[in-house]
Amino acid sequence: MTEDLTPAPKTAGAPEPEPIRWFGTSWVGRGSDYRLRRVAVPLGALLATAAGAVVLRFAVEGVQLSDNGGFVDTLLIGAIGICSFLAALRTWKLLSEGRDQLTGWMAEDKSLGVVWIIGGVGALAAYFARSLVEAPGEAVKRAHYERAAAQYERRQSGRSGRPGTKAPGRAKRRR
């Protein structure tokens, strides 16, 4: 049983909601597909997190097989843990507040790219946790959409019914 959610016709210049990856614009109307995606996205993120953890486990075991000593093993595990924590923190902030709110080291994409790659498991874990709360990025997109819609309504309410006419009492001057 599918619901036919046809959006209401929009006037020219009215704000359109921005789509969210995996959700499209269904976060606005929340149709039947939205619920299915709200279940599938966390499961996919959890499976990807588990797969990433297995890959990291193999990498750590490979270094441990080289018999370099306990210090190198501890250093590697510590580096992976710190990178995962930083990537999770950045991803959580990115999904809850938006890219424009990232400041300092969180805003660095190129110089800290290796940290974000090594910490990919932490980022996936944060994505999973955020997807349990809402569609990841929904709060940011909804805030932008509501702000734009309110701004549009304010602009439209200030106009008279006929946009080509002038306000009463404001006649054209003769020279």
Side-chain angles (χ1 to χ4, degrees):
M1 182 173 166
T2 61
E3 298 173 14
D4 183 28
L5 295 175
T6 55
K10 295 275 184 179
T11 59
E16 294 283 330
E18 295 179 38
I20 299 174
R21 182 180 293 169
W22 313 112
F23 290 89
T25 56
S26 66
W27 58 272
V28 177
R30 295 193 181 195
S32 60
D33 290 347
Y34 180 79
R35 291 184 186 97
L36 177 66
R37 290 178 181 146
R38 280 299 307 268
V39 171
V41 167
L43 288 176
L46 186 61
L47 289 173
T49 304
V54 167
V55 168
L56 284 177
R57 169 86 179 172
F58 287 147
V60 169
E61 284 180 0
V63 171
Q64 287 175 345
L65 286 174
S66 67
D67 289 331
N68 285 327
F71 178 71
V72 173
D73 298 340
T74 305
L75 192 62
L76 177 65
I77 292 171
I80 290 172
I82 290 171
C83 289
S84 294
F85 175 75
L86 293 176
L89 191 63
R90 180 181 188 261
T91 301
W92 186 270
K93 186 165 178 128
L94 183 72
L95 293 174
S96 62
E97 297 177 16
R99 182 171 293 278
D100 54 339
Q101 296 298 317
L102 295 180
T103 58
W105 60 269
M106 284 190 185
E108 295 291 325
D109 282 335
K110 292 183 180 179
S111 62
L112 293 176
V114 174
V115 173
W116 308 143
I117 291 172
I118 293 171
V121 172
L124 287 169
Y127 192 89
F128 166 73
R130 190 66 190 173
S131 66
L132 294 175
V133 176
E134 66 179 2
E138 181 178 345
V140 176
K141 301 279 185 179
R142 189 174 298 280
H144 285 290
Y145 176 66
E146 288 174 353
R147 196 174 317 120
Q151 213 172 29
Y152 177 76
E153 288 299 320
R154 278 196 308 269
R155 285 193 312 253
Q156 293 301 314
S157 66
R159 296 181 178 171
S160 65
R162 294 175 26 204
T165 61
K166 294 185 177 184
R170 301 198 127 208
K172 190 174 181 180
R173 284 188 185 173
R174 291 189 175 179
R175 290 189 178 186

